[in-house]
Amino acid sequence: MDIQTAIVALLAFYVAWNLGANDVANAMGTSVGSKAITLKQAIIIAGVLEFLGAVLFGQGVTSTLGTKIANPALFADTPQILIMGMMTVLLSGGIWLQIATSRGLPVSSSHAIVGAIAGFSWVALGVQVIDWSSMGLITIGWILTPIISGAIAAAIYSLIQHWIFNQPHPLKQLQEWIPWLSTLLLSVFGIIVLPTLTQPLSQFLLTQGKWHIPTHDITLFTGGMAAIGLTLICWRQLANHPLENPIQGLFGKFQVVSACFVAFAHGSNDVGNAIAPLAVIFHIHQYSQVPNDQLIIPLWILVLGAIGIVAGLAVWGKKVITTIGENIISLEPSSGFCAELATAITILLASRLGLPVSTSHALVGGVVGIGLVQNIRSIKFATIQNIAAAWLITVPLSAALSATIFSIMAIFWH
């Protein structure tokens, strides 16, 4: 590894650190806020599952960010400009995420990185370098994410209220519903995640007709089994810390499992925000050309991003967890479960499509959707306004910061 790649790797780790410190709230904030688990337990659970999600499923979104925002073909004759631009993206994205985290604001790392890529590209080669069709699709995803997640969370919570809480014997009713809720959770994991785990192995066995399993498929299978195992451990661990309300205690178990799904989904989707620029620069150094439509990400880059996310979450994740878990609405395990399940469904689907949507948008949308069902006056709109303002300024601020840093770097680079 040359010095330039090593410096960029450190910058990618810096972004991943701040991403973990800010976005960990999207995975575990509601579980901590509802007292289903402690902060320490949340950090351990999220750390393992964020790592697995990033390493096993981080390829798709990373490739999208690395090749679809700015058209790499336009940098074919000037790869050094693309390298400098990607370094700018890491600097500006990391700085904004650090500022937002210090204020406890759960911003979108996807917004920050996409805005930074667009900002340097505009300055470097003009407006024509930006792939506006991809930008449009990503923007539509940002808009639809909180709406879809909020609608799913509100629908699930309304069903739970009607069929469990509003019944004469809610605890008995919940016990009858446990198989259905379990089936719902397993379906989310099975339908969306397991095909991605098993398809490479199945295709290999069908095409080769031999029981020789590639190393990558062993990694996928082992990682999937580890995720399932950790989920079962989380369920059992909660049994040792029952809540006073037996109904909420049972929902607490489901909330921990759904939080595991969100952590896994978040790692798979958001690791690309930290490592896509590094992957592009490594590709240029490795093959002496800019990447085309497909970007192959080496395993060590995925691992670097995953370690950065986990380290940031462990050291500096408490502030944003408090905002998500306590400062929007007062959460109980039942409402937290609905918000996290809706977020997991929304984000995992986006990951399968390779679309870098915002986990922050999904979870905040889910929490607000539940607040609308409970009582609109229970929503702390001052917090929502602060979060929304941070969302709105993230793209233009990141773009302006990236353009400024790129212009300064260009002077010294020459």
Side-chain angles (χ1 to χ4, degrees):
M1 183 186 297
D2 56 65
I3 295 177
Q4 188 181 72
T5 305
I7 292 173
V8 176
L10 287 174
L11 288 175
F13 185 85
Y14 167 68
V15 175
W17 173 288
N18 285 293
L19 189 151
N22 193 286
D23 283 6
V24 63
N26 303 319
M28 291 291 166
T30 57
S31 296
V32 175
S34 68
K35 306 298 188 295
I37 54 176
T38 65
L39 179 62
K40 182 179 179 180
Q41 289 173 328
I43 290 174
I44 295 172
I45 294 168
V48 175
L49 288 170
E50 292 262 352
F51 184 91
L52 288 173
V55 173
L56 299 180
F57 292 96
Q59 290 267 358
V61 172
T62 303
S63 181
T64 297
L65 284 169
T67 62
K68 300 300 183 184
I69 308 304
N71 186 354
L74 297 176
F75 293 93
D77 297 328
T78 54
Q80 288 300 316
I81 290 181
L82 184 58
I83 290 175
M84 186 170 62
M86 288 300 173
M87 293 175 69
T88 301
V89 167
L90 291 172
L91 269 173
S92 54
I95 290 170
W96 170 239
L97 286 174
Q98 185 172 355
I99 293 171
T101 303
S102 68
R103 302 180 66 86
L105 294 173
V107 298
S108 169
S109 56
S110 301
H111 281 204
I113 298 302
V114 171
I117 293 174
F120 101 80
S121 300
W122 196 318
V123 172
L125 295 179
V127 66
Q128 74 278 1
V129 76
I130 300 173
D131 189 337
W132 291 105
S133 60
S134 293
M135 285 287 288
L137 288 174
I138 292 170
T139 302
I140 290 171
W142 290 338
I143 296 171
L144 292 179
T145 297
I147 297 173
I148 294 173
S149 182
I152 293 172
I156 296 173
Y157 188 72
S158 297
L159 287 172
I160 287 175
Q161 272 197 326
H162 177 74
W163 291 104
I164 296 175
F165 288 109
N166 295 339
Q167 297 299 314
H169 304 286
L171 180 58
K172 181 180 178 181
Q173 193 74 9
L174 173 58
Q175 290 171 340
E176 293 178 359
W177 269 76
I178 283 178
W180 297 102
L181 292 174
S182 302
T183 300
L184 179 61
L185 281 173
L186 292 175
S187 296
V188 171
F189 187 78
I191 294 173
I192 300 173
V193 179
L194 286 182
T196 310
L197 290 173
T198 57
Q199 189 176 14
L201 176 59
S202 301
Q203 286 181 344
F204 180 85
L205 293 175
L206 287 173
T207 55
Q208 301 297 323
K210 299 177 181 179
W211 292 95
H212 172 70
I213 304 176
T215 303
H216 181 63
D217 290 327
I218 294 175
T219 304
L220 287 174
F221 180 78
T222 305
M225 293 303 101
I228 295 173
L230 183 63
T231 302
L232 295 176
I233 291 171
C234 296
W235 179 288
R236 184 173 181 83
Q237 179 70 19
L238 190 63
N240 299 326
H241 302 280
L243 299 177
E244 293 183 4
N245 187 324
I247 297 177
Q248 295 298 338
L250 282 172
F251 269 113
K253 294 185 177 183
F254 285 103
Q255 186 183 8
V256 172
V257 177
S258 62
C260 291
F261 290 163
V262 175
F264 193 85
H266 174 261
S268 68
N269 191 275
D270 281 21
V271 69
N273 297 325
I275 64 173
L278 172 60
V280 170
I281 292 173
F282 180 79
H283 185 280
I284 293 173
H285 282 295
Q286 188 80 4
Y287 302 103
S288 300
Q289 63 180 14
V290 299
N292 296 319
D293 291 339
Q294 193 66 29
L295 183 63
I296 304 300
I297 294 87
L299 180 62
W300 73 267
I301 292 181
L302 289 168
V303 171
L304 176 73
I307 292 174
I309 288 176
V310 174
L313 118 77
V315 175
W316 209 23
K318 185 177 180 180
K319 284 192 174 183
V320 181
I321 283 181
T322 302
T323 299
I324 289 285
E326 301 176 9
N327 294 342
I328 297 178
I329 63 172
S330 296
L331 288 168
E332 293 179 315
S334 56
S335 54
F337 160 71
C338 296
E340 288 174 346
L341 181 60
T343 302
I345 293 172
T346 305
I347 299 302
L348 280 172
L349 286 172
S351 295
R352 290 294 302 277
L353 296 173
L355 190 63
V357 298
S358 169
T359 312
S360 300
H361 284 200
L363 191 71
V364 172
V367 173
V368 172
I370 291 169
L372 293 174
V373 173
Q374 287 181 333
N375 184 352
I376 192 171
R377 285 178 290 185
S378 67
I379 302 174
K380 300 173 184 177
F381 283 101
T383 303
I384 297 296
Q385 289 173 354
N386 290 335
I387 293 173
W391 286 354
L392 287 174
I393 67 171
T394 293
V395 172
L397 188 146
S398 298
L401 186 60
S402 176
T404 303
I405 293 175
F406 180 84
S407 300
I408 296 171
M409 286 182 63
I411 296 173
F412 290 99
W413 192 284
H414 289 303

